[in-house]
């Protein structure tokens, strides 16, 4: 179990951090920071584990960052996730220097309610009520976004009528757009215009970027939360008084967004020493007191968060067209500890350039202070050795520093801390050597790895496909269904259930993250994307009969590897032959009923027979491909999407270049999904061979059928009496072609295509055949499963995983194995619809006719 010691602090959403051992009570309600190619993002935590008495190792970097982990815990490195046991001193790991502030529940109070808007149009008030923004409480998620928006607007925003404008770089404005949208308002696109400016007689032109909201209710919300309504220089605003009542991490949200707009970026004034990052603020002289109070409020809140500041200065007074203007300024004390505290706990929000510079400055200062600490230790040891009578020449031999440093330490009574050595790089040189990635991580060398004995250890899993999280700054780590027949009976299996489920769990990768049956390079992935199951046949992972019993023979000829991004391929190359997570599973079943003997005979099914059901898809490759194209569709066809009733219906117009490319990419992902299930089937055959001591061919472990879920396909259907070429998108559905259809495999053409409808692990599944009415009623489709009645979060509140496992085993003789109890709880039988009723409707409509019913014996959950 790859885990961390309990003291490890996980970085959570909104700049909070909490020890991992303290996440157990509410982990399903939390969001952890994940490092991704798109930058740091928040992702739901869906897994929490605790394991006693595991050996842990302390990892310390050259910058003094420390974490304790088990030997198998993966760490992010420039070469990808690498287990700790494979790392050595001098190796490089990725570090996310921003650490945030300790998590704390804010005191609950009402910031705004309807009485604060008594003078406004009732429709405006209702608009805020409908968005759950009234009443607005300090504990509401929306408050955390509003704190940032109010603060940034105070620094770099304006109001124009009912419009709320924000100014910044495009990437930062995208983050602002996301927060506005999360509150329920519609932000504009990002505007761009060239503007001429004149400062001190010098004219120049720069491109200005902006985004706006036209909602009057949004404007009034910002104003009542403290954004200045009029001309800022001629205003009486101070920092919002409610900040004093909020949690420290919430204060930091406000401060960091204002400083993202207004504070200077980190920079060195000499080679190795930094300027004081400073913030200036202007007010008309008649508003001087309010301006001073605003600045002192900011200084006081910084002090509350442990950041020390210099004295407030009145820098200058200037005559302007509006009148005499006073300019205030304060800066942060520029000692290393203070700057590191600010950069890593508060920093700059909505300003990526400053954030990146702050991360570099943090690492530089940490390295510098660590070098200085070492030199101070050497100086103290040298003096002690000299006091003990050792000759200066001998002392010089003991330490790897220049002789002059030893002499000064012994004879000159050095006061204060030493300086870094002359060959220590200055900040400009360090910036040339170091790099901050898009996810705000930097590379740092491991200084030491030491065993620290046995401890209780913990781990979490997140829903984001990057499958990592940040602990102590370290970054740590298409579907469908197929049924395989056997000639085994239930009697053959009884007594071996636990052995079989344990062996399947050990040999078929499951759960979040990477790991597959076969490791491959991108060249192999390209072949799989374009060849489908034929690749598996050629490589010995399948036989010809497997291909013949797949939908489309396991191959979409339109699949084009070049239409799939490198990022998607990189995610897929280590996941070939893995279940993944969610509702995906590998289940050994027994046939309990056969409803149509003739079709059952054609399918090779009989009562009491053992079959195996495999439900999974194209893993991270398919998910990434979908995300890649959705972003492109949103950019290219935003005007079309605005007219759709739901953004989930986003699509590229049929016949367009983008639609054609997306279709080729999706077909490639379908090919990948077929191969993924094929490799799981191959590994399952091997497990059965070991458990039952027979060749899989002797057990007749043949593929019944593999049918795809959740895909779009180009097909010909009759519409108003005419055959038309259509894209049939089966979302939550599966193909159900009737007898005689030319695309049904030859073996089943006389009886109809097999359809496999999974139920829950306590209710069983069904095999159907394509019904005669399916082409007329549903474009040859039926349901693809029972469907959920309860969210995953609610399921974990209603059910306890171990209890579900015990009840299934003791009461229904179903043996379940999963990565965690939470996974079992999410998939408890009680969270699914009645599969019997789903199938009854399909059968009654004639779109999918009942053939057989199966019941679980062993289940491996993803």
């Amino acid at each position: 179990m790859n885990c961390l010691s309990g003291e490890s602090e996980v970085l959570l959403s909104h700049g909070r951090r909490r020890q991992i051992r303290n996440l157990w009570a509410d982990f399903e309600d939390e969001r952890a920071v994940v490092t991704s190619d798109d930058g740091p993002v928040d992702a739901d935590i869906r897994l929490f584990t605790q394991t006693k008495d595991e050996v842990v190792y302390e990892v310390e970097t050259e910058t003094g960052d420390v974490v304790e982990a088990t030997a198998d815990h993966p760490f992010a490195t420039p070469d990808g996730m690498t287990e700790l046991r494979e790392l050595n001193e001098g190796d490089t790991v990725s570090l996310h220097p921003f650490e945030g502030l300790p998590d704390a529940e804010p005191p609950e109070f009402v910031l705004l309610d309807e009485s604060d808007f008594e003078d406004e149009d009732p429709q405006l008030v209702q608009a805020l009520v409908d968005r759950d923004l009234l009443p607005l409480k300090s504990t509401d998620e929306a408050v955390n976004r509003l704190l940032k928006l109010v603060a940034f607007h105070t620094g770099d925003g304006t109001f124009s009528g009912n419009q709320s404008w924000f100014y910044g770089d495009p990437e930062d404005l995208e983050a602002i757009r996301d927060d506005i949208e999360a509150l329920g308002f519609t932000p504009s696109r990002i505007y761009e215009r060239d503007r001429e400016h004149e400062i001190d007689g010098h004219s120049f032109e720069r491109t200005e970027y902006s985004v706006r909201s036209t909602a009057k209710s949004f404007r009034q919300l910002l104003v009542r939360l403290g954004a200045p309504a009029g001309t800022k220089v001629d205003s009486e605003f101070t920092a919002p008084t409610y900040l004093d009542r909020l949690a420290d991490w919430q204060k930091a949200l406000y401060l960091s967004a204002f400083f993202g707009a207004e504070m200077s970026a980190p920079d060195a004034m000499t080679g190795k020493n930094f300027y004081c990052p400073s913030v200036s603020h202007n007010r008309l002289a008649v508003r001087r007191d309010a301006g001073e109070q605003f600045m002192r409020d900011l200084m006081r809140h910084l002090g509350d968060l442990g950041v020390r500041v210099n004295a407030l200065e009145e820098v200058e007074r200037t005559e302007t067209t509006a009148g005499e203007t006073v300019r205030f300024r304060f800066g942060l004390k520029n000692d290393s500890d203070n700057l590191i505290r600010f950069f890593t706990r508060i920093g700059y929000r909505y300003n990526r350039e400053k954030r990146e510079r702050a991360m570099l400055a943090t690492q530089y200062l940490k390295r510098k202070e660590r070098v200085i600490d070492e030199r101070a230790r050497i100086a103290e040891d040298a003096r002690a050795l000299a006091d003990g009578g050792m000759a200066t020449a001998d002392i010089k031999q003991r330490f790897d520093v220049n002789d002059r440093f030893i002499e000064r330490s012994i004879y000159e009574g050095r006061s204060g801390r030493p300086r870094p050595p002359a060959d220590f790089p200055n900040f400009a040189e360090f910036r040339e050597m170091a790099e901050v990635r898009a996810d705000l991580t930097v590379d740092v060398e491991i200084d030491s790895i030491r065993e620290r004995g046995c401890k209780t250890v913990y781990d979490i899993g997140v829903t984001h496909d990057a499958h990592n999280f940040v602990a102590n700054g370290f970054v740590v780590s298409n579907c469908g269904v197929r049924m395989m027949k056997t000639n085994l009976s239930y009697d053959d299996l009884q007594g071996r259930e636990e052995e079989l489920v344990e062996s399947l769990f050990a040999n078929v990768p499951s759960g979040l993250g990477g790991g597959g049956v076969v490791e491959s390079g991108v060249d192999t992935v390209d072949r799989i994307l374009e060849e489908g199951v034929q690749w598996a046949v050629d490589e010995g992972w399948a036989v010809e009969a497997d291909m013949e019993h797949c939908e489309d023979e396991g191959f979409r000829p339109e699949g084009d590897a070049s239409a799939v991004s490198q990022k998607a391929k990189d995610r897929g190359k280590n996941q070939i032959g893995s279940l993944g997570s969610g509702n995906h599973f590998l289940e050994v079943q027994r046939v309990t009923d056969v409803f149509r003997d003739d079709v059952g005979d054609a399918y090779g099914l009989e009562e009491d027979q053992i079959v195996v059901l495999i439900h999974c898809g194209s893993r991270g490759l398919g998910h990434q491909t979908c995300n890649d194209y959705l972003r492109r569709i949103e950019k290219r066809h935003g005007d079309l999407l605005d007219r759709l009733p739901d953004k989930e219906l986003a699509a590229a117009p049929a016949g367009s270049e983008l639609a054609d490319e997306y279709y080729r990419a999706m077909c490639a992902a379908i090919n990948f999904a077929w191969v993924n299930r094929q490799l799981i089937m191959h590994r399952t055959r091997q497990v059965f061979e070991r458990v039952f001591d027979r060749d899989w061919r002797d057990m007749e472990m043949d593929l019944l059928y593999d049918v795809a879920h959740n895909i779009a396909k180009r097909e010909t259907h009759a519409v108003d009496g005419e055959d038309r070429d259509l894209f049939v998108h089966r979302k939550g559905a599966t193909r159900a072609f009737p007898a005689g259809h030319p695309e049904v495999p030859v073996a089943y053409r006389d009886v109809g295509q097999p359809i496999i409808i999974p139920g829950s692990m306590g209710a069983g599944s069904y095999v159907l055949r394509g019904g005669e009415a399916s082409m007329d009623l549903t474009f040859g489709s039926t349901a693809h499963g029972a469907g959920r009645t309860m969210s995953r979060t609610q399921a974990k509140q209603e059910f306890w995983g171990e209890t579900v496992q015990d009840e299934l085993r003791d009461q229904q003789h179903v043996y379940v194995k999963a990565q965690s109890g939470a996974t079992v709880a999410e998939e408890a039988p009680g969270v699914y619809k009645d599969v019997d009723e789903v199938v009854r409707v399909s059968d009654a409509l004639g779109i999918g006719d009942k053939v057989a019913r199966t019941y679980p014996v062993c289940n491996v959950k993803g």
Side-chain angles (χ1 to χ4, degrees):
M1 179 65 72
N2 48 314
C3 296
L4 303 166
S5 65
E7 299 82 7
S8 306
E9 294 189 311
V10 177
L11 184 59
L12 304 174
S13 59
H14 305 305
R16 298 170 296 132
R17 67 176 191 265
R18 193 193 306 180
Q19 288 187 346
I20 192 169
R21 63 184 170 196
N22 294 330
L23 282 169
W24 68 271
D26 63 344
F27 71 90
E28 67 272 18
D29 299 321
E30 282 295 353
R31 293 170 66 78
V33 172
V34 171
T35 63
S36 74
D37 291 344
D38 297 323
V41 296
D42 300 335
D44 292 332
I45 301 175
R46 61 175 303 158
L47 170 72
F48 179 89
T49 66
Q50 174 180 326
T51 309
K52 293 183 178 180
D53 298 328
E54 290 287 329
V55 177
V56 297
Y57 298 83
E58 179 191 83
V59 181
E60 184 171 6
T61 70
E62 61 180 338
T63 49
D65 302 282
V66 177
V67 72
E68 290 182 341
T70 54
D72 56 351
H73 200 91
F75 283 73
T77 75
D79 297 322
M81 285 292 178
T82 304
E83 290 186 1
L84 176 55
R85 62 164 58 94
E86 298 176 12
L87 295 172
N88 298 294
E89 294 178 3
D91 287 344
T92 299
V93 293
S94 298
L95 203 73
H96 187 277
F98 186 82
E99 62 183 46
L101 287 162
D103 186 25
E105 184 69 19
E108 184 172 315
F109 62 94
V110 175
L111 279 80
L112 297 173
D113 58 24
E114 293 186 33
S115 66
D116 293 295
F117 295 84
E118 287 180 345
D119 56 340
E120 294 294 340
D121 187 325
Q123 288 186 336
L124 182 150
V125 176
Q126 190 60 46
L128 295 174
V129 171
D130 291 343
R131 291 173 171 84
D132 292 327
L133 297 173
L134 282 184
L136 185 66
K137 296 181 180 178
S138 57
T139 51
D140 291 343
E141 174 72 12
V143 167
N144 304 322
R145 300 182 190 277
L146 285 165
L147 286 167
K148 295 183 292 180
L149 292 169
V150 168
F152 191 86
H153 193 276
T154 300
D156 247 346
T158 60
F159 293 117
S160 177
N162 291 329
Q163 299 179 7
S164 307
W165 288 88
F166 298 82
Y167 302 91
D169 289 338
E171 188 174 10
D172 302 318
L173 293 177
E174 286 289 357
I176 290 173
R177 289 184 78 253
D178 290 344
D179 279 336
I180 294 174
E181 193 167 31
L183 293 170
F185 299 98
T186 302
S188 71
R189 63 179 176 85
I190 295 176
Y191 297 101
E192 174 182 346
R193 66 170 177 170
D194 293 328
R195 300 197 64 180
E196 291 187 356
H197 299 267
E198 183 174 325
I199 297 179
D200 297 332
H202 298 286
S203 297
F204 62 95
E205 186 177 281
R206 66 184 295 266
T207 303
E208 177 186 85
Y209 300 93
S210 59
V211 67
R212 67 173 178 170
S213 166
T214 58
K216 183 178 180 181
S217 53
F218 179 69
R219 178 194 189 281
Q220 293 302 324
L221 188 63
L222 295 185
V223 169
R224 282 165 172 78
L225 286 173
T231 304
K232 295 173 189 174
V233 74
D234 188 17
S235 174
E236 291 287 343
F237 77 90
T238 58
T241 56
Y242 57 75
L243 290 180
D244 289 297
R245 303 174 64 186
L246 295 177
D248 284 350
W249 58 267
Q250 290 179 306
K251 294 179 188 178
L253 291 175
Y254 179 93
L255 293 173
S256 63
F258 181 76
F259 295 148
E262 294 296 306
M263 182 175 277
S264 61
D267 203 1
M269 61 179 174
T270 62
K272 298 169 187 175
N273 294 312
F274 279 72
Y275 284 110
C276 303
S278 63
V279 59
S280 299
H281 186 69
N282 296 328
R283 293 288 177 99
L284 292 178
V286 295
R287 311 292 186 192
R288 182 193 180 285
D289 291 347
E292 180 179 352
Q293 185 60 51
F294 175 67
M295 295 291 273
R296 293 197 181 280
D297 287 341
L298 299 181
M299 296 165 67
R300 176 171 53 83
H301 290 309
L302 282 169
D304 292 342
L305 302 182
V307 176
R308 295 176 294 113
V309 298
N310 295 313
L312 182 65
E313 302 174 305
E314 185 177 310
V315 181
E316 62 182 0
R317 289 181 174 242
T318 307
E319 285 295 334
T320 68
T321 55
E324 185 182 22
T325 300
V326 181
R327 180 170 170 240
F328 297 97
R329 181 179 66 193
F330 72 82
L332 309 182
K333 289 190 177 295
N334 68 342
D335 62 275
S336 294
D337 288 344
N338 195 56
L339 292 180
I340 292 171
R341 192 175 300 114
F342 173 77
F343 295 150
T344 61
R345 300 182 184 181
I346 302 172
Y348 309 89
R349 280 185 169 81
Y350 295 147
N351 195 310
R352 183 174 191 84
E353 183 179 355
K354 292 179 184 177
R355 292 183 77 185
E356 289 182 352
R357 184 77 70 87
M359 296 302 94
L360 278 178
T362 296
Q363 292 307 100
Y364 179 80
L365 291 170
K366 284 182 178 179
R367 285 184 61 182
K368 188 179 84 166
E369 290 305 303
R370 194 167 171 84
V371 168
I372 291 174
D373 286 344
E374 176 63 13
R375 286 168 70 81
R377 183 191 65 78
I378 290 173
E380 183 177 349
D381 288 350
R383 285 193 295 270
L385 291 171
D387 290 344
M390 182 178 286
T392 301
D394 292 335
I395 296 174
K396 292 176 181 178
Q397 292 293 322
R398 293 178 67 100
F399 301 108
D400 185 21
V401 294
N402 65 67
D403 291 350
R404 178 61 181 148
F405 179 81
I406 296 295
E407 291 169 358
R408 291 188 62 197
S409 300
I410 295 174
Y411 300 121
E412 297 182 12
R414 178 193 305 278
S415 62
R417 284 162 56 78
R419 293 192 296 268
D423 60 355
F424 188 82
N426 61 40
F427 185 54
E429 292 167 337
F430 180 78
R431 287 174 59 192
E432 291 296 320
M433 298 185 296
E435 176 191 4
V436 180
R437 298 189 186 87
D439 57 11
L440 297 183
T441 61
V442 295
D443 288 341
V444 61
E445 286 189 6
I446 296 174
D447 190 60
S448 63
I449 301 175
R450 304 182 185 92
E451 184 176 334
R452 290 303 190 196
C454 289
K455 292 188 176 184
T456 299
V457 292
Y458 307 81
D459 199 14
I460 61 173
V462 297
T463 55
H464 194 279
D465 289 321
H467 301 307
N468 66 53
F469 61 98
V470 178
N472 287 16
F474 294 81
V475 180
V476 294
S477 187
N478 146 328
C479 82
V481 63
R482 67 168 48 193
M483 178 175 283
M484 178 170 54
K485 302 175 289 183
T486 77
N487 61 16
L488 300 174
S489 69
Y490 185 47
D491 286 341
D492 295 326
L493 185 55
Q494 284 186 297
R496 296 184 173 180
E497 295 93 338
E498 287 197 57
E499 178 187 3
L500 184 59
V501 76
E502 291 288 346
S503 187
L504 288 170
F505 185 80
N507 287 278
V508 177
S510 63
L512 297 167
V517 169
V518 59
E519 294 185 4
S520 67
V522 173
D523 289 346
T524 299
V525 174
D526 283 350
R527 284 189 58 199
I528 291 171
L529 294 172
E530 296 193 350
E531 298 173 18
V533 177
Q534 182 63 59
W535 171 88
V537 173
D538 294 343
E539 297 297 322
W541 299 97
V543 295
E544 290 285 345
D546 296 333
M547 191 165 61
E548 294 166 2
H549 289 81
C550 275
E551 180 177 343
D552 298 329
E553 295 189 341
F555 169 60
R556 293 300 304 171
E558 304 94 335
D560 182 0
S562 68
V564 177
S565 71
Q566 186 63 46
K567 182 177 178 182
K569 294 174 186 177
D570 287 341
R571 291 180 60 182
K573 67 182 181 181
N574 296 320
Q575 296 182 332
I576 308 167
S578 60
L579 283 174
S581 57
N583 65 340
H584 294 159
F585 60 83
L586 167 60
E587 189 167 86
V588 179
Q589 305 173 329
R590 60 187 173 99
V591 179
T592 57
D593 303 276
V594 176
F595 305 103
R596 288 176 170 82
D597 290 337
D598 59 333
V599 183
D601 287 341
Y603 288 176
L605 296 176
E606 60 185 29
E607 292 185 5
D608 215 35
Q609 176 185 4
I610 294 298
V611 296
V612 180
L613 202 61
I614 299 168
H615 179 211
C616 63
S618 53
R619 296 300 319 275
L621 180 143
H623 189 273
Q624 185 63 49
T625 299
C626 180
N627 284 346
D628 289 342
Y629 280 92
L630 284 179
R631 283 197 292 269
R632 291 177 61 185
I633 289 168
E634 288 170 356
K635 290 180 179 178
R636 190 173 305 181
H637 299 293
D639 55 338
L640 173 63
L641 302 189
D642 288 342
R643 300 199 299 270
L644 293 175
D646 191 326
K647 287 190 176 181
E648 294 296 319
L649 298 173
S656 68
E657 180 182 351
L658 183 55
D660 178 65
E661 187 178 353
Y662 188 10
Y663 185 67
R664 288 185 281 117
M666 188 195 64
C667 287
I670 296 169
N671 288 340
F672 187 95
W674 274 319
V675 171
N676 189 42
R677 292 192 288 277
Q678 178 65 47
L679 266 62
I680 292 173
M681 189 172 84
H682 177 85
R683 183 58 63 86
T684 301
R685 285 168 168 167
Q686 293 176 324
V687 168
F688 269 69
E689 286 180 328
R690 288 194 291 271
V691 172
F692 294 98
D693 195 27
R694 283 184 248 173
D695 187 275
W696 69 265
R697 295 170 185 82
D698 295 336
M699 290 181 282
E700 298 179 358
M701 300 184 73
D702 301 321
L703 179 62
L704 169 64
Y705 197 58
D706 183 306
V707 62
H709 295 168
N710 297 333
I711 64 170
K713 297 177 72 174
R714 177 175 274 165
E715 297 173 356
T716 301
H717 290 271
V719 179
D720 297 331
E722 294 182 11
D723 285 346
R724 293 184 57 186
D725 249 351
L726 303 174
F727 284 102
V728 181
H729 190 179
R730 295 186 174 97
K731 176 66 176 173
T734 190
R735 201 177 76 172
F737 283 178
H741 195 287
E743 291 190 38
V744 175
V746 173
Y748 307 134
R749 197 165 294 167
D750 290 340
V751 294
Q753 173 211 308
I755 304 162
I756 304 163
I757 298 186
S760 73
M761 47 191 180
S765 302
Y766 278 87
V767 179
L768 285 67
R769 60 108 174 246
E772 291 297 328
S774 69
M775 302 305 288
D776 293 329
L777 295 181
T778 59
F779 297 97
S781 310
T782 190
H784 85 329
R788 299 182 70 91
T789 61
M790 189 182 298
S791 71
R792 297 186 184 280
T793 298
Q794 185 182 354
K796 287 183 287 190
Q797 295 170 346
E798 297 284 338
F799 300 99
W800 188 253
E802 289 185 9
T803 302
V804 173
Q805 282 178 292
D806 292 344
E807 290 177 352
L808 285 169
R809 182 187 64 246
D810 298 339
Q811 299 174 20
Q812 297 174 261
H813 306 294
V814 178
Y815 293 78
V816 177
K817 184 78 174 179
Q819 292 286 349
S820 72
T823 299
V824 178
E826 290 177 359
E827 296 295 310
V831 309
Y832 281 91
K833 297 175 186 175
D834 183 353
V835 69
D836 297 334
E837 179 63 12
V838 171
V839 171
R840 185 196 67 78
V841 172
S842 180
D843 188 76
L845 290 172
I847 59 177
D849 306 326
K850 287 195 301 185
V851 176
R853 189 178 189 275
T854 63
Y855 195 79
V857 178
C858 306
N859 183 293
V860 174
K861 295 300 297 182

